[in-house]
Amino acid sequence: MAFYRSHVLVSVDPECVKRGAHQIIDALNDELVAQGLIDEIQVLETSRIGDPVLFGPDIIVYPEGVHYACLSPDDIPYLVEEHFLKGRIVEKFRAQEKKIVDEELGAPKAKEVRVVLRNCGVIDPNNIEDYIAEDGYMALAKVLSDMTPEQVIDEVTRSGLRGRGGAGFLTGRKWQFCRNSQADMKYIVCNADEGDPGAFMNRRVLESDPHSVIEGMIIAAYAIGARQGYIYCRAEYPLAVKTLNIAIKQAREFGFLGENILGTGFSFDLEVRQGAGAFVCGEETALMASIEGRRGEPRPRPPFPAVSGLWGKPTNINNVETYANVPQIILKGADWFASMGTEKSKGTKTFALAGDVKHTGLIEVPLGITLREIVYDVGGGIKDDKGFKAIQTGGPMGGCLPAEFLDLPVDYESLTQAGSIMGSGGMVVMDEETCMVDIARFFMEFTQEESCGKCTPCRIGTRRLLEILTRICEGKGEDGDIERLEELCDQIRTASLCGLGQGAPNPVASTLKYFRHEYEAHIYEKRCPAKVCRALITYEIVPETCTGCTVCARNCPVNAITGERRQPHKIDPDICVRCGICMQVCNFNAIVIN
């Protein structure tokens, strides 16, 4: 075998080819021949080196690992002479590497552990070779060559992986149920219908690391014996849909999808189905109805999808994050995954951290971490150093937990016991100036609007809840409203058909439990302790502080403020619409809320 002291890799990405990559190769070979170096230096083609738009055509020289960019054939003689004859790196051709800053994800913060997000912002999601370079599809090869379906299910079961979509059912056990079902056809479905307000965990994985989800689905298909799969992704995620379709096409070209995968005789294929954005289609039976072309409505269970799912055939449904965990579990082992988390909640969990916290965004932390660690160590604490009031976990159907739960470990059982849920990973932090009655009304407005209307408790019950909450926030609360809210919450929770209706009362029930005094203040004292509800507050100018600059009067949209220049002004409460503009524009903090 020939020995070369250097190797030159030339990018033949289509963009680089368009810019003259083949001419660079010809010029390199010609110059190496001319300099008598052709037997010492080998020129090779590679699919891509750097961003072809920024650097193409580009080459990389090993063993030094020097990256030269934006080359032309005329540059080659000088480059060969300097680098290969004189041993000097040619700085003027060297690529100016820019440090990639992922503004949405950011660098891992203290106490973050990235398993699902490990490749986000690191690899090119449109290039399958980037994923392969990070051990992509190694787990699939291991499964197909060395493991039986039963061994795969056993490994996933021992890892303790629970469904990350919200219910938290053991993934391995779910797969076993589907495998045990006898049928001529089985399906795999990925629930990518992420609908929680402010949540984008799944979107980010699909846009940044689609092959990890695809690989997880193929492994699941092998385990249960499925031949066809669907990724149900909402149409509001156009980039995710585009990235997925590119990834599926590439996976087919590389033999990871389609007939006789990797020559093992196992066949599986999948496609993307787009949803129209109905929140209820995140519920698995409504999702399957939508895939089948019917209206997205839930149906009673049993039968469960593992027995009778898509078109009446056994179907396994997991969400994006669940499938993305599977390749790492197969590669690193169940014990590695189970070493993170708590006794019953293993591994890591992604959250979309939002609200009144300094560092909002996407995070991934080991389960078992406390809420305090998430808010203060990962999130940086409360904005403007205000006081912490509550945190809502689990999206619009989650409960609001007060400060006494800050040291609560984040796991499925602890959150449920406290009156909230894990959900798919939404997490909203609220500061001391938040009105909890108004927050309950806000989330109820969302779930009421998203109710599919099929079952009466959800359709009518959530409407009644919203009406009462709105009335309370408008200062029209009545004696007995709290008891009516509690009774409605119980009835809706127990009688609704699906998880949306069953979970809808959670924000109301939890705020009634932990912030009951705020409801009582609204109803009986006609005041909003947080000074948020417009109907229950008044704006007042402090005469001792007001300088009579007239800025507030000039900005008031309803001319509710009067007063002479350089004299204290007054606000007419009968005219004031409580928009708060006067308070925002006052430079002397002379306006207060009562």
Side-chain angles (χ1 to χ4, degrees), residues 472-533:
I472 294 174
C473 289
E474 291 175 347
K476 302 172 184 174
E478 303 169 354
D479 186 18
D481 275 348
I482 291 178
E483 290 71 22
R484 276 188 283 274
L485 287 173
E486 290 175 326
E487 185 180 1
L488 274 170
C489 286
D490 288 340
Q491 291 174 349
I492 296 169
R493 187 184 293 117
T494 54
S496 291
L497 182 60
C498 76
L500 191 154
Q502 293 160 7
N506 281 340
V508 183
S510 61
T511 50
L512 279 170
K513 182 177 181 180
Y514 299 120
F515 301 95
R516 194 182 189 91
H517 59 285
E518 294 199 19
Y519 282 87
E520 292 171 344
H522 280 69
I523 295 171
Y524 301 113
E525 301 171 25
K526 302 303 178 188
R527 68 180 181 88
C528 174
K531 300 177 180 178
V532 171
C533 296

Side-chain angles (χ1 to χ4, degrees), residues 152-180 220 223-224 284 304 306 315-319 322-323 325-326 329 334 337-338 340 342-347 367 412-413:
V152 174
I153 293 175
D154 179 63
E155 191 75 7
V156 175
T157 303
R158 286 198 307 107
S159 74
L161 175 65
R162 298 171 67 166
R164 298 302 197 236
F169 196 79
L170 272 176
T171 303
R173 189 178 299 173
K174 197 172 188 178
W175 290 12
Q176 187 66 60
F177 287 151
C178 202
R179 177 159 185 81
N180 292 344
I224 71 165
E284 59 184 11
F304 290 95
T315 303
N316 181 79
I317 303 178
N318 288 118
N319 83 331
T322 310
Y323 285 125
N325 269 303
V326 170
I329 291 172
F337 189 81
M340 299 178 283
T342 64
E343 181 183 355
K344 294 183 178 178
S345 300
K346 307 292 188 184
L367 286 168
Y412 292 91
E413 284 72 25

Side-chain angles (χ1 to χ4, degrees), residues 60-75:
I60 191 165
V61 181
Y62 287 110
E64 300 92 330
V66 179
H67 183 193
Y68 293 119
C70 302
L71 296 170
S72 73
D74 295 338
D75 299 327

Side-chain angles (χ1 to χ4, degrees), residues 31 65 96 144 167 197 211 234 239 246 267 273 285 306 314 336 338 355 404 482 485 558 568:
E31 190 61 25
Q96 299 300 311
L144 295 183
H211 287 286
R234 51 181 44 218
L239 181 58
I246 292 172
S267 300
R273 289 289 177 93
T285 59
W336 163 78
E404 64 191 80
I482 291 178
L485 287 173
V558 292

Side-chain angles (χ1 to χ4, degrees), residues 288-567:
M288 290 188 298
S290 181
I291 290 179
E292 292 173 352
R294 297 183 288 114
R295 180 174 178 174
E297 288 181 334
R299 63 162 172 80
R301 295 171 296 177
F304 290 95
V307 177
S308 178
L310 275 177
W311 294 288
K313 303 295 184 183
T315 303
N316 181 79
I317 303 178
N318 288 118
N319 83 331
V320 170
E321 186 176 349
T322 310
Y323 285 125
N325 269 303
V326 170
Q328 289 293 294
I329 291 172
I330 297 297
L331 273 184
K332 296 184 178 180
D335 293 338
W336 163 78
F337 189 81
S339 68
M340 299 178 283
T342 64
E343 181 183 355
K344 294 183 178 178
S345 300
K346 307 292 188 184
T348 61
K349 179 76 187 76
T350 60
F351 293 99
L353 190 60
D356 301 318
V357 71
K358 290 179 180 176
H359 307 308
T360 58
L362 194 57
I363 64 171
E364 183 174 4
V365 291
L367 286 168
I369 191 173
T370 66
L371 289 171
R372 185 185 301 279
E373 289 175 299
I374 290 179
V375 173
Y376 290 96
D377 296 341
V378 182
I382 306 299
K383 282 180 185 173
D384 303 324
D385 295 323
K386 293 180 181 175
F388 171 91
K389 187 165 192 177
I391 185 167
Q392 196 220 25
T393 66
M397 295 177 296
C400 299
L401 304 177
E404 64 191 80
F405 288 98
L406 271 175
D407 292 316
L408 184 79
V410 178
D411 60 54
Y412 292 91
E413 284 72 25
S414 299
L415 288 174
T416 302
Q417 192 173 8
S420 190
I421 58 173
M422 180 73 74
S424 62
M427 193 171 275
V428 182
V429 179
M430 291 162 263
D431 68 17
E432 58 191 345
E433 296 181 352
T434 306
C435 173
M436 301 311 295
V437 182
D438 187 56
I439 281 292
R441 184 201 56 78
F442 170 80
F443 285 116
M444 186 50 58
E445 189 173 23
F446 175 83
T447 49
Q448 207 286 318
E449 188 172 323
E450 292 293 341
S451 172
C452 74
K454 183 173 182 178
C455 70
T456 305
C458 180
R459 183 181 71 248
I460 304 298
T462 55
R463 169 59 66 182
R464 294 288 89 83
L465 279 178
L466 178 60
E467 288 172 353
I468 295 173
L469 290 168
T470 302
R471 190 156 46 74
I472 294 174
C473 289
E474 291 175 347
K476 302 172 184 174
E478 303 169 354
D479 186 18
D481 275 348
I482 291 178
E483 290 71 22
R484 276 188 283 274
L485 287 173
E486 290 175 326
E487 185 180 1
L488 274 170
C489 286
D490 288 340
Q491 291 174 349
I492 296 169
R493 187 184 293 117
T494 54
S496 291
L497 182 60
C498 76
L500 191 154
Q502 293 160 7
N506 281 340
V508 183
S510 61
T511 50
L512 279 170
K513 182 177 181 180
Y514 299 120
F515 301 95
R516 194 182 189 91
H517 59 285
E518 294 199 19
Y519 282 87
E520 292 171 344
H522 280 69
I523 295 171
Y524 301 113
E525 301 171 25
K526 302 303 178 188
R527 68 180 181 88
C528 174
K531 300 177 180 178
V532 171
C533 296
R534 285 189 181 188
L536 299 174
I537 60 172
T538 56
Y539 286 86
E540 185 179 337
I541 296 177
V542 180
E544 293 77 12
T545 311
C546 178
T547 63
C549 67
T550 74
V551 169
C552 58
R554 285 186 278 118
N555 283 276
C556 179
V558 292
N559 297 319
I561 302 176
T562 57
E564 299 295 327
R565 177 175 286 277
R566 297 183 182 175
Q567 295 296 320

Side-chain angles (χ1 to χ4, degrees), residues 47-190:
S47 60
R48 181 181 290 188
I49 299 173
D51 187 332
V53 176
L54 293 177
F55 300 119
D58 54 342
I59 68 174
I60 191 165
V61 181
Y62 287 110
E64 300 92 330
V66 179
H67 183 193
Y68 293 119
C70 302
L71 296 170
S72 73
D74 295 338
D75 299 327
I76 299 304
Y78 179 71
L79 178 67
V80 170
E81 180 181 352
E82 287 294 306
H83 192 110
F84 297 109
L85 285 179
K86 298 178 180 177
R88 298 192 291 228
I89 294 174
V90 187
E91 293 294 341
K92 69 175 182 178
F93 296 146
R94 197 168 185 176
Q96 299 300 311
E97 302 287 353
K98 295 181 180 178
K99 187 176 181 181
I100 300 174
V101 178
D102 191 325
E103 295 181 354
E104 187 174 73
L105 188 58
K109 302 176 185 66
K111 301 188 177 178
E112 270 201 271
V113 177
R114 290 185 177 172
V115 176
V116 172
L117 302 178
R118 67 191 183 284
N119 288 332
C120 295
V122 176
I123 66 170
D124 178 359
N126 293 325
N127 188 345
I128 192 174
E129 293 182 359
D130 270 23
Y131 180 67
I132 292 173
E134 298 292 331
D135 293 336
Y137 291 105
M138 289 287 288
L140 176 63
K142 178 181 177 181
V143 162
L144 295 183
S145 60
D146 298 334
M147 299 175 74
T148 65
E150 288 76 14
Q151 288 174 322
V152 174
I153 293 175
D154 179 63
E155 191 75 7
V156 175
T157 303
R158 286 198 307 107
S159 74
L161 175 65
R162 298 171 67 166
R164 298 302 197 236
F169 196 79
L170 272 176
T171 303
R173 189 178 299 173
K174 197 172 188 178
W175 290 12
Q176 187 66 60
F177 287 151
C178 202
R179 177 159 185 81
N180 292 344
S181 297
Q182 300 300 313
D184 59 344
M185 186 69 182
K186 296 180 182 179
Y187 295 100
I188 288 286
V189 174
C190 176

Side-chain angles (χ1 to χ4, degrees), residues 562-593:
T562 57
E564 299 295 327
R565 177 175 286 277
R566 297 183 182 175
Q567 295 296 320
H569 284 40
K570 290 184 178 179
I571 300 176
D572 186 339
D574 294 330
I575 301 176
C576 177
V577 294
R578 301 165 182 83
C579 63
I581 292 177
C582 55
M583 196 170 188
Q584 294 173 14
V585 298
C586 179
N587 295 317
F588 304 98
N589 296 321
I591 299 175
V592 296
I593 303 175

